[in-house]
Structure formats: C-alpha cells, structure tokens
C-alpha cells in the first residue's frame, strides 16, 4: 500500500498556490459540510467523507481544464466537492445516488442534474478512474492487525481514537499536502496508543520496522506533535467511558517523542 500511495496517480500538489479564489479555510468549511452530509446518511461511515476529500484534493491537483476552472471559481469548486462526495457514496458505500436528489435536496437546486453529471465525468477522467487507493484508515487497520498482544477492548479504543484523529487531521490542508496516508495513520495511531495505554508504546519499535517510519525524526515528529494538539478537539466525539482512557494523560507523557 505504501508503494501505491507514492504513485504519481495518488499524490496531491500544492494546488492552492495556483489560485486566489479559494483558500484553506474554504476547503475546511467544505470538509465540515461533507461530514455533516454523511452524518445525515444512515449507516454511512465518516470514512466515506475522507475518501471524498481525497478525490477532491487529487482532482484539484490534476491541472486539467476542469480542475483549473474549479480552482478559480468558488461555484465550480463547490460543485466539484459535492460531486466528489457523490462519487465516494457510490464507490465506497455502494449507494445508488440519484442525480436529481443531489440537485434538489443536497445542493438545494444550486446545481442542476446536467451540471452534476458533467462534473462527475470530468473528475473521473481527471483521476484516470483510479478510485481505490489506500486511505489512512486502511493503514490503521493494517498496523493494528499485525501488532502483537493488544487486548480487544483496548484495541477498539485505539482504533476509534486514531480514526477520529485522522478524520480531524485531513480537514487541514497542510496535512494532506505534506504527508502520505500511511504517515497520517502512523502518527495518529501512536498518539492514540500513548493516550489510551502508554504501555502500548512498547510496540513502537515493531511498528516503525513494518512501516519504515520513525517518530523521532523530521516531519514525523512534527506530525506527531500536531496529533497531540488535536486530542482536545476530538475528545468530545467519545462517550464518558471511552474518554476516561485518554482525557487525563500522564504529565509529560509524550515528551520523548514530541520534544523539540
């Protein structure tokens, strides 16, 4: 999976540097709306929204005529985002999404069915129809699957917290721009392990070997520190029983990994 994520087909460029029409705050607002929309879809995982964000970033990075129009027109940009969400619902969640429903209900008649269908084709062509690359969630599942000796309840806590950290981190443009999905997953998983049960960090050397990543060096140390700062943002997403596991971390517990 790590080889696949580094393929030019799945990489994102600094597309916001090519426009003054939209910025990182606009992208973050779209991501928040995307999560709200997914929450209204019964039985759909937030991972579907993460996949949609990934389609959106890759599309705007593609430098195709359609992508460049979206970069320089807020209305086109919003249409592209909506359409990426529709594609993710179809591909990742298996939904039969009617274009008229998208037009009338989701966009409240801001775009007609023809505009949505046309944008869908533009996006699919810009992505070369490659829609199944690895996500941070895939890497979290893999790392936990091969990690030895973790209690089932503890494993569930770590998985849920690390996924929530990922879902918050990918709203930030800099996370998507500077880090691969495996790196985001690795940093969030290590942060979750450290806060759920610090003894789980005994598995760190094993994880670093199988991932080829190291929290002590360079950008991974910065990403880990960023994940720690996100903990206060995401703690509301857990019920009281789960929150006990990480709301009161030991003083200075992350110092050996996050110190400057």
């Amino acid at each position: 999976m790590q080889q696949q994520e580094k393929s030019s087909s799945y990489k994102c460029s600094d597309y916001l540097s090519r426009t003054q029409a939209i910025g990182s705050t606009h992208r973050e607002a779209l991501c928040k709306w995307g999560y709200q929309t997914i929450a209204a879809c019964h039985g759909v995982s937030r991972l579907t929204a993460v996949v949609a964000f990934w389609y959106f970033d890759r599309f705007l990075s593609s430098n195709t005529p359609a992508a460049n129009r979206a970069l320089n027109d807020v209305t086109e940009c919003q249409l592209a985002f909506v359409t990426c969400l529709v594609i993710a619902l179809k591909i990742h969640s298996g939904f039969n999404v009617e274009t008229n429903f998208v037009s009338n209900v989701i966009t409240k008649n801001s775009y007609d069915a023809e505009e949505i269908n046309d944008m869908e084709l533009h996006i699919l062509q810009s992505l070369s129809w490659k829609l199944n690359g690895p996500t941070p969630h895939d890497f979290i599942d893999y790392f936990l699957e091969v990690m030895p000796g973790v209690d089932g309840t503890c494993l569930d806590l770590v998985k849920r917290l690390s996924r929530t950290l990922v879902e918050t981190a990918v709203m930030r443009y800099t996370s998507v721009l500077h880090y691969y999905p495996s790196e985001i997953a690795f940093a969030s998983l290590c942060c979750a392990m450290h806060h759920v049960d610090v003894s789980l960090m005994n598995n760190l050397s094993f994880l670093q070997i199988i991932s080829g990543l190291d929290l002590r060096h360079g950008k991974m140390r910065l990403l880990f520190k960023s994940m720690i700062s996100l903990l206060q943002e995401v703690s509301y997403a857990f019920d009281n029983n789960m929150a006990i596991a990480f709301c009161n971390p030991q003083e200075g517990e992350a110092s050996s990994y996050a110190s400057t």
Side-chain angles (χ1 to χ4, degrees):
M1 289 193 296
Q2 283 177 293
Q3 184 176 0
Q4 185 181 11
E5 71 178 347
K6 294 177 181 178
S7 164
S8 59
S9 299
Y10 297 104
K11 278 182 154 182
C12 295
S13 68
D14 184 10
Y15 58 82
L16 289 182
S17 67
R18 307 199 314 267
T19 180
Q20 294 183 342
I22 60 173
S24 58
T25 55
H26 184 254
R27 179 189 177 279
E28 185 172 342
L30 288 173
C31 291
K32 288 179 180 178
W33 178 84
Y35 281 135
Q36 291 168 358
T37 302
I38 289 299
C41 300
H42 180 69
V44 179
S45 166
R46 282 166 66 91
L47 173 56
T48 300
V50 174
V51 171
F53 306 163
W54 179 59
Y55 292 161
F56 180 71
D57 292 324
R58 287 176 56 209
F59 169 63
L60 293 183
S61 298
S62 68
N63 207 27
T64 60
N68 290 333
R69 286 195 298 272
L71 271 177
N72 291 287
D73 186 305
V74 172
T75 301
E76 283 286 301
C77 181
Q78 292 172 344
L79 173 59
F81 186 87
V82 169
T83 308
C84 286
L85 200 60
V86 169
I87 295 172
L89 283 166
K90 290 179 179 179
I91 300 298
H92 189 266
S93 297
F95 268 44
N96 180 21
V97 185
E98 296 290 340
T99 308
N100 285 330
F101 174 82
V102 177
S103 173
N104 298 333
V105 178
I106 295 181
T107 76
K108 298 180 181 178
N109 296 309
S110 297
Y111 308 98
D112 62 34
E114 183 177 0
E115 289 176 307
I116 295 167
N117 287 330
D118 287 347
M119 180 59 77
E120 182 172 359
L121 182 58
H122 286 316
I123 291 172
L124 292 172
Q125 291 174 336
S126 297
L127 301 184
S128 301
W129 299 80
K130 295 182 178 180
L131 305 173
N132 292 308
T135 68
H137 288 55
D138 294 325
F139 283 104
I140 288 171
D141 290 345
Y142 169 69
F143 292 148
L144 288 176
E145 183 179 344
V146 299
M147 192 168 68
V150 181
D151 172 78
T153 301
C154 193
L155 185 72
D156 182 63
L157 284 167
V158 169
K159 179 182 287 190
R160 292 184 65 180
L161 177 53
S162 57
R163 285 185 169 188
T164 303
L165 285 167
V166 163
E167 290 158 9
T168 305
V170 296
M171 294 173 62
R172 298 182 173 183
Y173 179 68
T174 52
S175 295
V176 176
L177 178 62
H178 295 300
Y179 298 99
Y180 290 111
S182 63
E183 294 172 331
I184 296 172
F186 182 78
S188 68
L189 182 58
C190 291
C191 185
M193 290 193 306
H194 215 287
H195 282 266
V196 170
D197 184 349
V198 71
S199 68
L200 291 174
M201 293 302 283
N202 293 331
N203 291 301
L204 179 60
S205 295
F206 174 78
L207 288 176
Q208 291 184 154
I209 291 171
I210 65 169
S211 67
L213 301 171
D214 192 335
L215 286 184
R216 296 169 298 180
H217 300 296
K219 66 177 186 177
M220 289 307 301
R221 183 179 64 185
L222 295 176
L223 181 58
F224 183 65
K225 291 174 67 175
S226 175
M227 289 296 179
I228 290 174
S229 72
L230 287 180
L231 278 171
Q232 291 184 336
E233 288 186 39
V234 306
S235 62
Y236 72 90
F238 294 85
D239 60 37
N240 290 335
N241 290 332
M242 295 184 70
I244 291 172
F246 63 90
C247 279
N248 296 298
Q250 297 174 10
E251 184 178 357
E253 64 178 2
S255 60
S256 60
Y257 305 100
S259 61
T260 56

